[in-house]
Amino acid sequence: MKKRGILFVISSPSGGGKTTICQEILEELSELAYSISVTSRRPRPGERDGRDYFFVSEEEFDKKIERDEFAEWAQVHGHRYGTPRQFLEETLNYGRDIILDIDVQGALKIKERYKEACLIFLLPPSFEVLASRLKRRRTDDKTEVELRLRRAREELAFLKHYHHAVVNRDLSQTVEEIKSIITAEKTS
Ligand code: 5GP
């Protein structure tokens, strides 16, 4: 019988560099699948439907909740995000490992529902670095940046529920560390 895939959850405060890191990992470990989330927030410039997220209206999001289409969903920074359940379960059953880039609330729900999930928390080197990364991004306005910084402090309280913590000082070093965690999990 085929071995079930492993679920890797990566969370970090917004601006922690998670998207770039996930992209690098997915390029290097081509056998890993990425779960594209559904969100009711508007696309940012450069984001594409079906690649970065599945962008839906609030009404469509409600319907998906009613139809139990999410493995988890959460409200983050005033918007809703959810992990499509069917893709997740089919991929795992097929024996393929999968990466979820989701927030701390979602990670805890996944841990509860999929006991074997491996949770990785990506930390910025400091709050100063996080603040400057968020400001540099310029895709969010000032109040949005402040909201995300406040939330980052709250999110740190969830660190204890994660299996691994990785400090993102240097992109390639962080990618290597996460790749080693994934490899170790797969061989254990
Ligand atoms: P952003 O709006 O910056 O793309 O994402 C905001 C936050 O939502 C990030 O922390 C991201 O990890 C989280 N997020 C993205 N997709 C999901 C999801 O499907 N579920 C949950 N719980 N969080 C998500």
Side-chain angles (χ1 to χ4, degrees):
M1 211 176 75
K2 213 174 221 176
K3 207 171 155 213
R4 202 168 141 86
I6 304 171
L7 195 47
F8 294 98
V9 176
I10 302 194
S11 304
S12 84
S14 174
K18 188 175 36 167
T19 310
T20 319
I21 286 161
C22 284
Q23 278 166 357
E24 292 266 332
I25 292 168
L26 288 161
E27 263 173 41
E28 293 189 30
L29 303 177
S30 54
E31 72 280 11
L32 266 181
Y34 178 71
S35 163
I36 302 169
S37 296
V38 175
T39 183
S40 63
R41 86 152 160 73
R42 297 262 180 85
R44 295 196 187 108
E47 283 184 330
R48 222 173 53 212
D49 185 46
R51 183 192 65 186
D52 301 290
Y53 284 104
F54 295 109
F55 295 98
V56 299
S57 65
E58 294 295 343
E59 293 71 28
E60 283 174 274
F61 203 97
D62 285 336
K63 283 198 194 124
K64 285 180 180 293
I65 297 173
E66 275 166 34
R67 295 196 294 253
D68 193 25
E69 287 185 24
F70 293 127
E72 63 72 36
W73 70 271
Q75 174 114 10
V76 190
H77 311 307
H79 305 290
R80 291 188 293 175
Y81 300 82
T83 302
R85 188 165 59 82
Q86 191 180 354
F87 173 76
L88 190 81
E89 289 180 1
E90 282 176 3
T91 306
L92 292 177
N93 288 339
Y94 185 73
R96 202 164 167 202
D97 303 329
I98 189 162
I99 283 201
L100 302 186
D101 161 356
I102 62 174
D103 90 311
V104 292
Q105 309 164 73
L108 288 200
K109 289 178 199 163
I110 289 288
K111 192 181 178 191
E112 189 57 37
R113 192 162 184 173
Y114 303 89
K115 305 283 182 211
E116 70 287 4
C118 171
L119 272 57
I120 304 167
F121 201 103
L122 198 55
L123 291 156
S126 67
F127 273 97
E128 288 68 31
V129 172
L130 182 65
S132 70
R133 281 184 191 161
L134 279 172
K135 283 174 195 151
R136 227 180 311 137
R137 201 156 78 169
R138 284 171 212 257
T139 46
D140 299 306
D141 64 26
K142 194 159 167 274
T143 46
E144 186 83 22
V145 169
E146 279 162 12
L147 181 72
R148 282 170 190 249
L149 278 176
R150 190 154 11 103
R151 177 111 180 98
R153 292 185 191 276
E154 292 163 11
E155 282 169 345
L156 270 187
F158 286 76
L159 186 57
K160 59 177 183 285
H161 300 290
Y162 283 68
H163 303 105
H164 303 274
V166 176
V167 180
N168 180 22
R169 286 196 184 84
D170 167 79
L171 176 69
S172 55
Q173 191 193 328
T174 304
V175 169
E176 284 312 311
E177 274 183 53
I178 297 178
K179 274 168 59 188
S180 329
I181 293 172
I182 293 175
T183 311
E185 284 289 327
K186 280 161 69 81
T187 46
S188 67

